[in-house]
Amino acid sequence: MLILDERRLLGAWEAGLFAGPVQRALSLASAASGLPCGELARWPLGRLDSLLLDVRRNCFGSELTCAVGCPHCGDQLELVFAVEDLYVRPALWSQDEEAEHHVRLGDRTLRCRAVTSEDLLALPPDQPAELVRNQLATRCLLDPLDDDGGPGQWAEIERQLAELDPQSDLSVRLTCESCAHGWDAPFDIGLYLWAEVDAYARRLMYQVHRLATGYGWTEADVLAVGPARREFYLEAVPA
Ligand SMILES: [Zn+2]
């Protein structure tokens, strides 16, 4: 079962602490699955996201809450939804990894593969969106492309690649209660899960600190005590 026990959660948190969002998502997936980051980095993004949804559900439950500002009137919306609402079935890329996929440009059909974390990690930081599209398309197209299509062509390839891997391109439909404005907000399970793991890890380390100070326990001693018993010791420990 894909789960992060507290020891692996702390390890994944430490490995991702000073890394970017792509590496953080890989670090969490690797700690939960036991697969090396290098292997997971070659998975289609949607397959990795699907694994992270499993990890979220197994570790923290199915209910997700988000606070979002309405882009029209600025009111804060509290949104509650379920992990199960976010799975896209069938997951195209994980069903048949050997299958060929295609993008269509005018009358041309070009073979392509899914975008992976490795592709994202290969992008130099802080580039304009147009250059990013160009580089992702160049990496993921398996047939040569005439270079005269211009920016419109890159955007079209990006759109079709996202369509081929819908699990990697999640959004949640929102309607503002104050002004009735409706929009699709992007949802990134990697960012969401990292924020939860970050909060959990910091709370846990603080507990280790208090119990180490109070009883002389080591970190391993604290982690060996389950959360319910730990709660008792935290209440009882002299301030
Ligand atoms: Zn509004």
Side-chain angles (χ1 to χ4, degrees):
M1 171 138 131
L2 288 163
I3 200 148
L4 285 169
D5 61 29
E6 289 181 331
R7 190 181 54 79
R8 283 186 291 164
L9 182 145
L10 283 180
W13 176 81
E14 190 169 23
L17 185 57
F18 299 110
V22 179
Q23 199 62 53
R24 284 176 171 178
L26 289 170
S27 170
L28 294 174
S30 173
S33 67
L35 297 171
C37 283
E39 182 180 336
L40 294 162
R42 289 188 294 276
W43 280 17
L45 292 177
R47 187 176 171 197
L48 186 71
D49 281 355
S50 176
L51 183 150
L52 290 171
L53 287 172
D54 292 346
V55 175
R56 166 47 164 82
R57 192 185 47 193
N58 296 342
C59 294
F60 298 110
S62 161
E63 187 177 290
L64 300 152
T65 55
C66 290
V68 192
C70 169
H72 190 246
C73 73
D75 260 23
Q76 282 288 312
L77 277 73
E78 170 118 335
L79 184 70
V80 182
F81 50 104
V83 168
E84 286 75 16
D85 298 339
L86 298 174
Y87 290 107
V88 178
R89 307 280 187 208
L92 178 71
W93 296 97
S94 54
Q95 276 188 332
D96 183 1
E97 306 216 3
E98 301 303 315
E100 278 200 355
H101 299 281
H102 300 93
V103 296
R104 282 174 222 292
L105 291 174
D107 53 2
R108 293 194 67 199
T109 301
L110 303 163
R111 288 177 303 136
C112 68
R113 63 166 177 78
V115 182
T116 66
S117 308
E118 207 167 59
D119 295 321
L120 300 182
L121 289 169
L123 297 172
D126 303 325
Q127 290 196 105
E130 199 176 296
L131 262 180
V132 168
R133 288 192 191 107
N134 177 320
Q135 287 168 359
L136 285 181
T138 307
R139 289 179 66 95
C140 295
L141 287 184
L142 305 174
D143 288 323
L145 181 70
D146 306 328
D147 213 8
D148 50 11
Q153 172 178 266
W154 304 120
E156 178 57 20
I157 294 170
E158 183 188 45
R159 192 188 63 75
Q160 291 189 35
L161 285 174
E163 233 173 52
L164 283 167
D165 192 9
Q167 184 72 75
S168 73
D169 193 31
L170 287 180
S171 58
V172 182
R173 186 69 196 165
L174 300 177
T175 306
C176 176
E177 283 177 11
S178 306
C179 73
H181 177 67
W183 77 103
D184 292 314
F187 179 81
D188 186 327
I189 182 61
L191 293 180
Y192 190 97
L193 184 59
W194 177 265
E196 287 183 317
V197 164
D198 183 58
Y200 193 99
R202 290 173 194 274
R203 204 166 49 240
L204 183 57
M205 286 185 296
Y206 181 69
Q207 293 181 350
V208 170
H209 160 73
R210 284 193 55 207
L211 293 172
T213 312
Y215 300 126
W217 292 2
T218 65
E219 185 186 75
D221 292 338
V222 176
L223 297 186
V225 173
R229 276 184 294 159
R230 198 184 296 149
E231 209 50 50
F232 173 85
Y233 290 119
L234 282 166
E235 277 174 32
V237 72

